[in-house]
């Protein structure tokens, strides 16, 4: 049976223990039962023995008593005294049969003797006169004489046992004397003795009289087994008899069937144990399966719960007239309103909707029987306006609308966080001015409308920043932003590109002269001295201008044209402006040259991959490494990806570059000492210009890297143009088994919506948010909101661009999952990264 128990699971173990314990208990009970049965039997037997001995004893006592009284009638007799003591008169005694043959024939006495100290005076043995004395038949004559003479003091005969002619026998003896003895005579001493041999007939009758069978007398020590016995004192014999042994009989009667029953029970138990173990093994198996699915369920429940808690729903119901009839308890908790206050009131009084009427919306649902959801607002008890999503469905009974039922989800926090993220994604955190994203959008939205795009670069800013420190530098930038705001109109746009570069876009710029006047005003405004802290500083500015009416182009074309013009302005001396013209020397910036060089450089092996590790938030454990491409340009030296990726994205060059990166990254990662993820940035352009899914599958196939070790970092731009197609692509990538990471989270247009729709495993908070950490508390709350959101969706959240220990500490506190940044490691060559892994592996605690 052991074999069945094979790999013992905890459950089987328990079942086995239970069965063992139960069997043990049963066995114990059986043993106890048998012991007490045996005890009872023993007790019964003992009682029987004691009782039978009592009966045997009383039989003997009775016999002796009757024998004594019978003898007494012969001994305490005047005639006997006269004829046997004074002088033995055989005639009287034997012939007249006063003490003669009938004592044998009638009464069964084997011997009758009259004796005195000098021996036997008269003897009748077996009914005949005998000249042999008692001394000849037995060695006990002296003892008998003595006992008889002692007994006469008590007016009694003596009795006892002896061996008579080799046979056990009972004697009765008494001194012969007249009933009244004259005083002058000496005390008589002659003794009359009757001997009754304890023959089988005598014993049989004796036994019968007390209901005992097999009465017998046995000599010596060997007493028959299983018989009662009583020693017959001084005779060397014992009386034995058969004892009924009811206990033993009981045991004999019970034992056989009991053994059979025990055997049957043991057999049943064994079968049951086997069955139980099998069943339990089966249960274990299904439990393991159950546990696995339970775990999966719990994971999804936890996810749901996190969402649900963040969502904080309550439930409502109305009648057909849309008057509230039910509000769940959460209503009062969340809104602060007592439910009674709202019951019977129209639901449209509770909810406002900016995009439609709640009443009409519900009415429509009643007709269509569909489920709908509407973004609404309500005011809580404190008067605070809350955002919510109301879901509803009509209650239809027999095709009649009886009312409506639905939920209300408070999404105020989500909306606020979304708005903040949205703002931050569109604005420069330092100056609050629009950033590159918003600038591009503004240019796109303007379409063909005439615009002037001015690229501004501060003069003299770097020395101020270097000598007076970053806080002063920041204050200067903020002041510049303020002054630019003063010289522009509400329809214009002022954006900061980073550093000391700004872009101004004038909507409807008018004539060139008007633009000239504007440029002069800007420079004048900038040159006004600034009082910052105790310092008086002065900056200036150079402007490059392009008029879209003269040189139409995409937003990035316009920015590049303005940049070229700015270069011209700087060359012409500072604090001035220049208009773009194609004749400006742009050799260095000529993208066509660079594009050609890149196309030839890739096969020549001019690209290199660096790896930047990503750590768990402990800052020690390496979780993955991101591949970042570099170009060793033969003429320009090491170029960062920002210099050539945008260029490559404008043509199919991005496919060539992207596939090189994929193969290189997967191939190198396969040889790493740690089984960690490798993250590869995939440009959205690669998806639109090639079958990205096929490219990834091919890279995995040719390098042999397991799909689960590859992570693709994709910016949300990939979703912008073709939402359906992008979703299809993402799902196909997930089917390959790779992980998807949403890169630069927070810089796109509507990150939250995308997060819900697409199958991302993780999100990477853009470094801009991280770098703002610790500067303003509102930024930290945005980072927290993103982390919470990631948690609620079950996604891993990474923070990139971690540069200071303070940032790391805050991220750790806010339970961000993973971190990346210069603080922990810059992007490094593969060889260096392999060394880093080897070290971290060696230092890692065992089993980590
Ligand atoms: P990304 O994907 O956001 O990569 C992170 C960039 O931030 C990298 O710049 C990295 O060097 C930099 N970085 C990392 N930690 C810090 C930090 O603590 N502080 C600061 N200030 N920066 C940090 P890199 O290598 O210049 O890459 C720039 C961008 O070029 C990448 O941004 C990515 O969008 C793109 N790129 C790089 N390699 C590839 C590639 O192989 N394929 C594609 N399609 N794009 C790539
Ligand atoms: Ca990235
Ligand atoms: Ca990034």
């Amino acid at each position: 049976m052991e074999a069945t128990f094979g790999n013992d699971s905890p459950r089987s173990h328990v079942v086995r223990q239970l069965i063992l314990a139960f069997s043990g208990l049963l066995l114990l009970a059986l043993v106890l039962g048998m012991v007490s049965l045996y005890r009872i039997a023993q007790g019964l037997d003992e009682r029987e023995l004691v009782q039978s001995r009592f009966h045997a004893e009383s039989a003997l006592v009775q016999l002796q008593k009757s024998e004594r009284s019978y003898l007494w009638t012969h001994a305490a007799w005047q005639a006997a005294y006269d004829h046997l003591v004074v002088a033995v008169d055989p005639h009287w005694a034997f012939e007249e049969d006063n003490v003669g043959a009938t004592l044998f024939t009638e009464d069964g006495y084997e011997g009758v003797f009259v004796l005195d100290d000098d021996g036997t005076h008269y003897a009748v043995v077996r009914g005949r006169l005998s000249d042999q004395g008692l001394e000849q038949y037995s060695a006990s004559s002296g003892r008998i004489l003595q006992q008889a003479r002692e007994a006469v003091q008590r007016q009694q005969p003596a009795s006892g046992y002896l061996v008579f002619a080799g046979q056990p026998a009972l004697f009765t003896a008494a001194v012969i004397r007249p009933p009244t003895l004259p005083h002058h005579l000496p005390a008589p001493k002659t003794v009359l003795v009757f001997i009754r041999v304890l023959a089988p007939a005598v014993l049989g009758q004796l036994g019968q009289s007390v209901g005992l069978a097999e009465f017998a007398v046995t000599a010596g020590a060997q007493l028959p087994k299983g018989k009662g016995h009583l020693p017959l004192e001084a005779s060397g014999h014992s009386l034995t008899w058969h004892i009924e042994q009811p206990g033993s009989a009981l045991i004999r009667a019970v034992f056989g069937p009991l053994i059979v029953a025990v055997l049957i029970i043991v057999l049943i138990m064994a079968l049951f144990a086997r069955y139980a173990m099998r069943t339990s093994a089966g249960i274990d198996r299904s439990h393991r399966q159950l546990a696995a699915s339970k775990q999966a369920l719990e994971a999804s429940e936890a996810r749901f719960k996190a969402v649900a808690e963040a969502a904080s729903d309550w439930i409502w119901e109305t009648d057909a007239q849309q008057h509230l009839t039910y509000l769940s308890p959460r209503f009062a908790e969340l809104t602060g309103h007592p439910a009674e206050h709202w019951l019977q009131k129209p639901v449209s009084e509770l909810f406002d909707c900016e995009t439609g009427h709640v009443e009409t919306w519900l009415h429509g649902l009643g007709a269509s029987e569909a489920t709908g959801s509407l973004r609404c607002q309500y005011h809580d008890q404190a008067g605070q306006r809350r955002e919510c999503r109301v879901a509803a469905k009509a209650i239809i009974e027999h095709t009649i609308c009886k009312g409506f039922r639905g939920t209300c989800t408070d999404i105020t926090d989500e909306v606020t966080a979304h708005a903040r993220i949205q703002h931050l994604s569109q604005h420069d955190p330092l100056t609050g001015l629009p950033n590159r994203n918003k600038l591009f959008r503004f240019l796109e939205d303007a379409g063909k409308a005439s615009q002037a795009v001015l690229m501004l670069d501060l003069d003299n800013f770097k020395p101020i920043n270097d000598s007076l420190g970053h806080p002063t530098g920041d204050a200067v930038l903020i002041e510049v932003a303020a002054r630019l705001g003063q010289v522009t109109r509400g329809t214009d746009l002022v954006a900061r590109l980073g550093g000391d570069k700004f872009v101004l876009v004038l909507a409807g710029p008018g004539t060139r002269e008007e633009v000239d006047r504007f440029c002069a005003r800007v420079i004048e405004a900038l040159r006004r001295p600034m009082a910052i802290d105790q310092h008086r500083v002065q900056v200036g500015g150079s402007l490059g201008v392009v008029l879209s009416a003269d040189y139409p182009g995409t937003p990035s074309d316009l920015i590049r044209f303005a940049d070229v013009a700015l270069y011209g302005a700087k060359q012409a001396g500072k604090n001035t402006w220049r208009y773009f013209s194609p004749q400006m020397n742009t050799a260095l910036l000529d993208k066509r040259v660079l594009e050609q060089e890149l196309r030839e450089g890739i096969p020549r092996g001019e690209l290199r991959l660096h790896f930047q590790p990503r750590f768990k938030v402990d800052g020690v454990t390496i979780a993955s490494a991101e591949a970042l491409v570099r170009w060793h340009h033969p003429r320009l030296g090491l170029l960062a990806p920002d210099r050539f990726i945008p260029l490559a994205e404008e043509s199919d060059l991005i496919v060539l570059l992207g596939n090189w990166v994929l193969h290189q990254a997967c191939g190198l990662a396969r040889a790493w000492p740690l089984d960690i993820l490798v993250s590869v940035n995939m440009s959205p352009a690669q998806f639109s210009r090639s079958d990205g899914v096929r490219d990834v599958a091919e890279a995995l196939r040719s390098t042999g890297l397991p799909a689960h070790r590859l992570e693709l970092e994709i910016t949300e731009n990939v979703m912008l143009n073709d939402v359906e197609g992008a979703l299809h692509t993402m799902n196909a990538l997930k089917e390959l088994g790779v992980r998807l990471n949403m890169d630069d989270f927070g810089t796109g247009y509507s990150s939250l919506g995308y997060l819900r729709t697409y199958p991302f495993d993780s999100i990477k908070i853009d470094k801009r948010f991280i770098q703002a950490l610790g500067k303003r508390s509102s930024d930290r709350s945005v980072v927290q909101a993103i982390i919470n959101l990631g948690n609620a969706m079950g996604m891993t959240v990474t923070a990139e661009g971690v540069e200071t220990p303070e940032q790391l500490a805050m991220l750790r506190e806010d339970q961000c999952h993973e971190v990346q940044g210069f603080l922990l490691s810059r992007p490094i060559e593969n060889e260096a990264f392999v060394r880093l892994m080897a070290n971290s592996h060696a230092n890692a605690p065992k089993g980590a």
Side-chain angles (χ1 to χ4, degrees):
M1 208 178 299
E2 272 306 309
T4 329
F5 301 163
N7 41 20
D8 223 10
S9 72
R11 172 180 310 281
S12 302
H13 186 70
V14 168
V15 168
R16 191 215 293 241
Q17 298 287 10
L18 278 175
I19 290 172
L20 279 178
F22 185 61
S23 310
L25 279 176
L26 198 71
L27 213 69
L28 191 71
L30 275 171
V31 167
L32 282 177
M34 272 153 76
V35 165
S36 52
L37 187 69
Y38 179 74
R39 283 271 183 80
I40 289 169
Q42 225 179 17
L44 279 176
D45 284 357
E46 248 161 44
R47 227 174 74 174
E48 184 64 26
L49 181 67
V50 169
Q51 270 181 2
S52 70
R53 185 195 289 263
F54 171 76
H55 289 310
E57 230 166 6
S58 55
L60 288 178
V61 167
Q62 207 53 48
L63 176 65
Q64 289 194 22
K65 204 172 158 189
S66 70
E67 294 276 275
R68 282 202 301 267
S69 58
Y70 188 58
L71 177 82
W72 194 246
T73 56
H74 287 79
W77 183 15
Q78 186 65 54
Y81 181 74
D82 293 340
H83 298 283
L84 289 174
V85 177
V86 181
V88 176
D89 176 0
H91 179 78
W92 175 86
F94 194 73
E95 311 292 289
E96 289 181 14
D97 203 8
N98 284 310
V99 192
T102 42
L103 281 175
F104 173 66
T105 52
E106 297 279 305
D107 302 321
Y109 291 112
E110 207 74 12
V112 176
F113 299 92
V114 174
L115 47 146
D116 210 333
D117 293 327
D118 51 353
T120 302
H121 297 176
Y122 173 81
V124 176
V125 176
R126 298 188 67 81
R128 286 164 199 269
L129 260 184
S130 170
D131 48 3
Q132 305 233 315
L134 179 59
E135 313 81 60
Q136 271 79 44
Y137 292 98
S138 167
S140 307
S141 55
R143 170 169 66 98
I144 293 171
L145 269 180
Q146 193 196 337
Q147 283 186 7
R149 285 171 183 165
E150 277 167 16
V152 83
Q153 320 284 324
R154 303 188 298 275
Q155 300 283 319
Q156 275 186 359
S159 63
Y161 302 96
L162 79 169
V163 179
F164 181 81
Q167 286 184 291
L170 173 71
F171 75 85
T172 330
V175 174
I176 306 169
R177 39 167 273 174
T180 51
L181 194 65
H183 288 293
H184 64 277
L185 287 178
K189 291 163 90 179
T190 307
V191 172
L192 173 66
V193 180
F194 287 1
I195 305 283
R196 184 185 295 285
V197 169
L198 297 174
V202 174
L203 292 169
Q205 224 179 356
L206 191 67
Q208 248 177 12
S209 73
V210 288
L212 292 175
E214 294 172 33
F215 249 44
V217 171
T218 349
Q222 18 20 49
L223 293 164
K225 267 220 159 99
K227 296 221 166 191
H229 70 98
L230 261 182
L232 302 175
E233 50 174 318
S235 73
H237 285 69
S238 296
L239 176 70
T240 65
W241 64 93
H242 169 76
I243 34 173
E244 295 291 337
Q245 286 182 300
S248 307
L250 179 71
I251 285 184
R252 269 193 304 280
V254 168
F255 213 71
L258 197 71
I259 290 286
V260 173
V262 166
L263 282 177
I264 290 174
I265 289 174
V266 166
L267 196 74
I268 291 174
M269 289 280 298
L271 286 174
F272 170 73
R274 189 192 175 94
Y275 169 76
M277 288 307 296
R278 286 225 176 120
T279 316
S280 121
I283 291 174
D284 279 337
R285 248 190 322 280
S286 39
H287 264 254
R288 273 194 295 277
Q289 289 162 356
L290 205 66
S293 47
K294 195 172 159 229
Q295 221 169 22
L297 194 70
E298 273 171 0
S300 81
E301 261 177 13
R303 200 173 295 173
F304 175 77
K305 196 163 161 259
V307 174
E309 269 170 12
S312 47
D313 286 11
W314 42 271
I315 298 167
W316 54 267
E317 267 176 35
T318 71
D319 55 17
Q321 286 70 48
Q322 301 190 9
H323 289 134
L324 287 163
T325 54
Y326 171 78
L327 286 163
S328 70
R330 288 280 279 159
F331 170 79
E333 276 170 47
L334 291 165
T335 64
H337 294 295
E340 315 81 73
H341 180 81
W342 277 99
L343 291 177
Q344 306 313 326
K345 293 207 173 149
V347 68
S348 57
E349 248 176 60
L350 179 59
F351 298 123
D352 280 338
C353 179
E354 284 167 349
T355 53
H357 292 286
V358 176
E359 218 179 311
T360 4
W361 170 65
L362 283 180
H363 200 74
L365 288 180
S368 69
E369 292 188 35
T371 311
S373 113
L374 190 68
R375 168 96 172 261
C376 297
Q377 296 81 34
Y378 70 89
H379 287 89
D380 65 15
Q381 174 78 338
Q384 210 89 44
R385 192 178 151 91
R386 308 289 299 179
E387 296 287 337
C388 61
R389 193 177 303 114
V390 178
K393 190 169 166 56
I395 308 169
I396 308 279
E397 273 172 32
H398 308 297
T399 70
I400 296 164
C401 176
K402 295 280 185 185
F404 299 89
R405 178 183 294 140
T407 57
C408 172
T409 310
D410 193 308
I411 53 168
T412 313
D413 294 342
E414 188 182 317
V415 169
T416 317
H418 191 187
R420 274 217 214 108
I421 292 167
Q422 201 82 302
H423 181 84
L424 279 160
S425 76
Q426 305 282 310
H427 294 85
D428 164 42
L430 178 66
T431 59
L433 290 179
N435 64 9
R436 181 186 288 266
N437 273 336
K438 188 155 186 182
L439 168 66
F440 272 61
R441 221 186 192 180
F442 187 84
L443 291 173
E444 263 162 20
D445 289 350
K448 295 211 157 36
S450 163
Q451 291 172 320
V453 177
L454 297 83
M455 175 86 76
L456 164 71
D457 191 275
L458 297 185
D459 297 329
N460 199 32
F461 177 72
K462 208 172 170 320
I464 294 172
N465 206 27
D466 289 350
S467 60
L468 300 179
H470 289 287
T472 311
D474 285 353
V476 170
L477 292 173
I478 291 166
E479 177 60 25
V480 167
R483 292 188 184 180
L484 292 177
Q486 285 158 13
V487 295
T488 48
R489 290 167 299 188
T491 46
D492 302 336
L493 180 97
V494 182
R496 178 172 172 232
L497 287 194
D500 57 354
K501 267 197 175 170
F502 296 81
V503 171
L504 297 89
V505 183
L506 307 183
T511 61
R512 214 172 244 246
E513 287 70 42
E514 283 171 287
V515 175
D516 281 341
R517 274 203 295 283
F518 177 75
C519 289
R521 249 198 345 267
V522 169
I523 289 167
E524 193 190 286
L526 290 177
R527 294 193 61 179
R528 271 204 326 271
M530 304 174 184
I532 285 168
D533 300 334
Q534 294 84 28
H535 309 287
R536 203 184 135 85
V537 295
Q538 190 181 21
V539 294
S542 305
L543 291 158
V545 187
V546 64
L547 301 175
S548 67
D550 299 344
Y551 297 100
T554 63
S556 60
D557 286 337
L558 290 174
I559 300 290
R560 196 155 39 81
F561 294 156
D563 205 16
V564 169
L566 173 66
Y567 185 73
K570 290 223 167 198
Q571 289 211 315
K574 299 180 173 171
N575 293 314
T576 183
W577 64 95
R578 285 288 179 277
Y579 289 86
F580 172 76
S581 83
Q583 289 76 43
M584 287 179 149
N585 184 355
T586 59
L588 276 186
L589 296 160
D590 193 323
K591 60 179 188 184
R592 251 174 306 255
V593 175
L594 212 58
E595 192 187 311
Q596 192 52 37
E597 286 173 335
L598 182 58
R599 199 177 290 283
E600 291 159 7
I602 294 176
R604 273 207 300 266
E606 288 175 10
L607 293 185
R608 289 199 71 85
L609 278 191
H610 283 190
F611 290 96
Q612 185 179 31
R614 192 162 96 200
F615 295 84
K616 299 262 175 224
V617 80
D618 63 11
V620 179
T621 317
I622 301 176
S624 93
E626 179 178 5
L628 294 162
V629 70
R630 307 284 181 257
W631 182 10
H632 284 267
H633 192 280
R635 190 161 38 86
L636 302 170
L638 190 69
L639 294 185
D642 293 334
R643 281 289 297 278
F644 56 94
I645 297 251
L647 184 86
E649 281 176 337
E650 285 178 22
S651 69
D652 62 347
L653 199 49
I654 189 64
V655 179
L656 192 68
L657 184 143
N659 283 337
W660 181 88
V661 172
L662 265 175
H663 278 82
Q664 188 75 4
C666 292
L668 290 173
R670 205 176 116 81
W672 286 348
L674 294 184
D675 226 16
I676 54 168
L677 290 179
V678 59
S679 310
V680 173
N681 292 285
M682 283 277 277
S683 163
Q686 187 169 352
F687 286 105
S688 52
R689 290 181 196 276
S690 165
D691 184 347
V693 181
R694 191 201 54 210
D695 293 348
V696 171
E698 165 57 22
L700 289 171
R701 195 196 56 73
S702 69
T703 60
L705 184 79
H708 69 262
R709 287 193 52 200
L710 177 62
E711 179 179 68
L712 299 176
E713 297 202 354
I714 303 172
T715 61
E716 52 197 297
N717 299 339
V718 81
M719 276 81 68
L720 272 186
N721 302 324
D722 179 9
V723 175
E724 276 300 306
L727 185 60
H728 181 78
T729 307
M730 305 267 169
N731 285 330
L733 286 171
K734 285 262 28 141
E735 268 169 37
L736 286 182
V738 303
R739 289 176 60 91
L740 299 181
N741 186 3
M742 183 184 269
D743 205 357
D744 300 344
F745 183 82
T747 58
Y749 294 111
S750 59
S751 314
L752 290 179
Y754 286 135
L755 258 196
R756 284 215 189 81
T757 316
Y758 293 89
F760 284 103
D761 299 289
S762 46
I763 47 184
K764 206 181 235 192
I765 311 176
D766 190 67
K767 51 179 171 283
R768 218 156 21 81
F769 294 98
I770 307 307
Q771 275 151 12
L773 264 190
K775 293 190 178 152
R776 274 174 307 272
S777 62
S778 70
D779 289 345
R780 181 166 182 185
S781 66
V782 168
V783 170
Q784 281 169 337
I786 299 177
I787 294 172
N788 290 342
L789 197 75
N791 278 332
M793 306 227 167
M795 295 179 185
T796 310
V797 182
T798 302
E800 68 171 13
V802 180
E803 290 181 349
T804 68
E806 292 75 30
Q807 290 163 353
L808 181 62
M810 275 188 251
L811 290 164
R812 198 174 289 158
E813 213 169 281
D814 295 342
Q815 289 169 5
C816 186
H817 304 130
E818 297 179 358
V819 285
Q820 194 181 18
F822 291 170
L823 174 71
L824 300 153
S825 170
R826 286 181 173 265
I828 49 180
E829 301 257 2
N830 184 55
E831 297 73 43
F833 180 57
V834 169
R835 275 198 300 280
L836 181 77
M837 274 188 283
N839 286 341
S840 90
H841 195 50
N843 295 336
K846 277 245 161 356

